[in-house]
Amino acid sequence: MDISHFFSNVLLKIFFPFTFGFPTGRRTVFFRSLMGLPTPLSGDRKSVQVVPNIDNSSDDETNYNSWLKKHPCGLESFEGIMKGLKRKKIVVFLDYDGTLSPIVDDPDRAFMSSEMREAVREVAKCFPTAIISGRSRDKVKEFVKLSNVHYAGSHGMDITTAPTSDNEVDAVSFQPAKKFLPVIQQIREVLEEETRKIEGAMVEDNRFCVSVHFRHVHERDLDKLEKKVETVLERYPDFHITSGKKVMEIRPTINWNKGHAMEYYLHTLGHTNEDDVVPLYIGDDRTDEDAFKVIQMRGQGIAILVSSIPKNTRASYSLKDPSQVLAFLLRLVRWRKLSSSSITNPLP
């Protein structure tokens, strides 16, 4: 555990008892700020505001091109990214929604393409590969349908390693929020009942967290939905709300995130030599920033944000959408095969 994670844990233990009288929204903001994370709903609320129908495409393109200078395209920068890494141990980490599959209106239909599945399969043949998703582990595994990758669900709170033989099933490696499972299921049931009359609201069971989707909720009902979720959470002081793309997520207040999950995999899989190991993480969500932060603190690694618009990020590089992710993964496989060949059969 690095020093920042240690102090975050200490601060949580010190201040947690003093927050029981806080309203849920204030308590959520307090803990997110304490852990250096963005506060919920701030970005999402802006995304649903009604604005005049003005063509700002030129300004948007200018802003995006300016942002690309700070976070260059991973495809265009590929040779520079991989320079000097032929003899390094690269470990690949991937988000799912918005990275391997497009963001869709119906979360249950976020299917990855057969081309993407084959690309991930080939990547996993060349490098240790883990998918770290906010989805439940079983759900993301059902989408991906590959046996040669590691799966972590619930933002890294449900971690498994891939089987080492065809007859072996995934072994549960670590579930840091296991003690919260009964309460999480209770929260899900209450939220389903409380939100069922809000048209478009959808409650998703992601095992160690509960997601409340509002992509199809009318703007006039957003405040009502948020209030209902916060009112429910007032009964559960050990939980807080975080935000994603048109979704509120209810999670246990523990010092664990995708960055911790990445570090856990590196340690468990035996890739602890920071001089030789290079984590490569591709993701599109705010929750992926925790992994980008770990890479930044290591001083060695490749952090790639998937985004078609400028965003504040700790990632060094960017890819515009899942189609560019696919192209990057295919290029990564070709690079590994060529570099392995050149090492095995060096030129005279």
Side-chain angles (χ1 to χ4, degrees), residues 122-243:
E122 291 302 309
V123 167
K125 289 179 181 178
C126 299
F127 313 95
T129 301
I131 296 175
I132 305 179
S133 172
R135 300 272 194 158
S136 71
R137 176 173 52 85
D138 289 341
K139 191 171 294 183
V140 75
K141 186 177 179 182
E142 183 181 339
F143 278 137
V144 177
K145 302 182 188 301
L146 294 176
S147 60
N148 62 339
V149 302
H150 309 288
Y151 294 94
S154 305
H155 301 292
M157 289 185 283
D158 190 8
I159 297 175
T160 62
T161 54
T164 56
S165 68
D166 292 338
N167 296 324
E168 184 182 352
V169 297
D170 288 355
V172 174
S173 300
F174 193 51
Q175 294 177 329
K178 187 174 182 178
K179 70 177 183 178
F180 293 102
L181 270 177
V183 183
I184 292 170
Q185 292 307 309
Q186 185 180 53
I187 291 173
R188 176 187 59 79
E189 292 172 3
V190 174
L191 284 172
E192 286 178 341
E193 177 62 28
E194 291 293 325
T195 64
R196 63 186 179 86
K197 292 184 179 180
I198 299 180
E199 186 176 355
M202 173 184 173
V203 177
E204 182 181 13
D205 180 2
N206 284 316
R207 191 159 196 219
F208 288 94
C209 59
V210 180
S211 300
V212 181
H213 297 272
F214 55 89
R215 183 173 297 276
H216 296 294
V217 174
H218 195 282
E219 184 186 6
R220 65 172 178 265
D221 294 326
L222 288 175
D223 284 335
K224 181 180 179 181
L225 177 63
E226 181 182 355
K227 180 63 177 176
K228 281 185 174 292
V229 173
E230 289 187 347
T231 300
V232 169
L233 262 289
E234 288 176 0
R235 312 173 207 169
Y236 303 95
D238 292 336
F239 291 79
H240 65 281
I241 306 170
T242 61
S243 64

